[in-house]
Amino acid sequence: MPLTRAQPAPGPEAKETVAPAVDLVLGASACCLACVFTNPLEVVKTRLQLQGELQARGTYPRHYRGFVASVVAVARADGLCGLQKGLAAGLLYQGLMNGVRFYCYSLACQAGLAQQPGGTVVAGAVAGALGAFVGSPAYLVKTQLQAQTVAAMAVGHQHPHQNVLDALGTIWRQRGLAGLWQGVGGAVPRVMVGSAAQLATFASAKAWVQEQQWLPEDSWLVALAGGMVSSVAVVTVMTPFDVASTRLYNQPVDGAGRGQLYGGLADCLVKIWRQEGPLALYKGLGPTYLRLGPHTILSMLFWDELRKLAGRAQHQGS
């Protein structure tokens, strides 16, 4: 049974159908494409979130100060290529996480869940949780690679990985399969709230813009407007979980695979609040928005446009 997009507007676009398997490919492709452009912002965000870990403000050197200065600092320490650290792992994560996320969300829409009150939020949260679990090993490696830098500029624990395959192999040999899912307890809530906010607000904002008839119904600007609204919602609710997730993924572990700094998501959030202050939960907010904003806008725009093309091709072939 084909999938009809939730909340279709009147007109030819309402007749387009896209199968969930197609949404899997389109969603993964769109987010991977967006990742290429936004990965440098992810590097800066990771460094800012790890800076001053469990230290009171003013008691540690601040190597990274704001977005522009941080970009310059990374480029000086690691070269221009350093701004694309962890890109391969980031692409792997985006492909795995978003492929699963968009596929599950598409299935939920197909089942009619999106038409129920609060259905888009529930569908987005569940789809995000499943995607985060599947993509967690890739995010683990991405975080640890992006934290790597020269000793004078180092923040957080430094993991001596050479590349993605070396990191996965080292973690597997030292801690087994379970070690690859270190930090998943922080990743699942992070993506659940972000995915629910993104998918729900994108669908609602896009439908509202279409109803106002400010723009041509099939214009890419409609998807752009929906993505801009989504990005604000995502950053607002997701940043504290994002900070905690970065810390959980990057922390050193003992021989039994237990974190040496945090016992889990709740323990991490409490320690950050108590030792660094509540504002520390929004560390790297600027780069987080500059990264999540364009990433949300680009990924949702690419996804929406690719769905239109796929729907038209599918309709013409039938």
Side-chain angles (χ1 to χ4, degrees):
M1 178 179 177
L3 166 66
T4 302
R5 284 185 290 170
Q7 298 175 317
E13 293 298 325
K15 297 179 182 179
E16 294 173 6
T17 58
V18 177
V22 176
D23 255 336
L24 184 153
V25 176
L26 298 183
S29 300
C31 292
C32 284
L33 184 57
C35 178
V36 174
F37 295 100
T38 60
N39 190 66
L41 301 170
E42 185 77 5
V43 174
V44 171
K45 180 213 74 170
T46 299
R47 303 282 178 89
L48 284 168
Q49 290 179 343
L50 290 171
Q51 183 170 246
E53 187 169 20
L54 298 183
Q55 299 177 65
R57 186 177 179 85
T59 63
Y60 57 87
R62 294 181 62 191
H63 302 305
Y64 307 98
R65 295 173 177 267
F67 170 63
V68 176
S70 296
V71 169
V72 174
V74 172
R76 284 178 175 172
D78 305 317
L80 288 176
C81 290
L83 291 168
Q84 285 290 12
K85 277 196 172 185
L87 177 60
L91 291 172
L92 178 61
Y93 170 72
Q94 292 295 336
L96 290 172
M97 192 274 284
N98 285 296
V100 171
R101 184 169 73 106
F102 279 98
Y103 178 74
C104 293
Y105 183 74
S106 190
L107 285 177
C109 291
Q110 184 183 57
L113 180 59
Q115 281 71 44
Q116 304 301 317
T120 53
V121 175
V122 174
V126 173
L130 293 172
F133 183 83
V134 172
S136 187
Y139 200 95
L140 168 67
V141 172
K142 179 193 74 69
T143 301
Q144 295 183 358
L145 288 174
Q146 290 177 338
Q148 286 180 348
T149 187
V150 296
M153 298 292 290
V155 291
H157 184 71
Q158 297 290 291
H159 298 267
H161 305 311
Q162 299 299 314
N163 50 51
V164 177
L165 291 178
D166 176 63
L168 292 171
T170 299
I171 296 170
W172 175 280
R173 288 191 299 271
Q174 293 179 351
R175 304 200 296 276
L177 183 64
L180 293 172
W181 268 266
Q182 172 191 330
V184 71
V188 170
R190 169 187 175 272
V191 178
M192 279 184 71
V193 298
S195 179
Q198 182 191 61
L199 293 173
T201 56
F202 177 75
S204 301
K206 186 167 174 283
W208 182 77
V209 172
Q210 288 175 326
E211 289 172 2
Q212 304 308 307
Q213 297 182 343
W214 292 331
L215 300 165
E217 184 182 323
D218 59 349
S219 172
W220 62 271
L221 292 172
V222 175
L224 178 63
M228 291 176 68
V229 174
S230 291
S231 66
V232 175
V234 170
V235 171
T236 301
V237 301
M238 194 174 179
T239 298
F241 295 96
D242 196 46
V243 173
S245 186
T246 297
R247 301 285 183 89
L248 290 169
Y249 274 127
N250 194 66
Q251 71 171 331
V253 296
D254 59 22
R258 293 186 295 266
Q260 295 183 9
L261 299 177
Y262 312 104
L265 176 62
D267 181 55
C268 182
L269 291 170
V270 170
K271 283 183 175 177
I272 292 172
W273 180 290
R274 289 178 175 174
Q275 299 186 39
E276 301 176 50
L279 291 180
L281 293 172
Y282 280 89
K283 274 189 175 181
L285 178 62
T288 297
Y289 177 76
L290 290 174
R291 180 260 168 194
L292 280 177
H295 186 89
T296 299
I297 292 169
L298 289 172
S299 60
M300 299 307 286
L301 175 60
F302 292 151
W303 175 58
D304 195 68
E305 291 301 306
L306 288 171
R307 286 186 98 228
K308 288 180 183 178
L309 292 174
R312 288 169 185 158
Q314 197 168 298
H315 179 70
Q316 291 172 359
S318 60

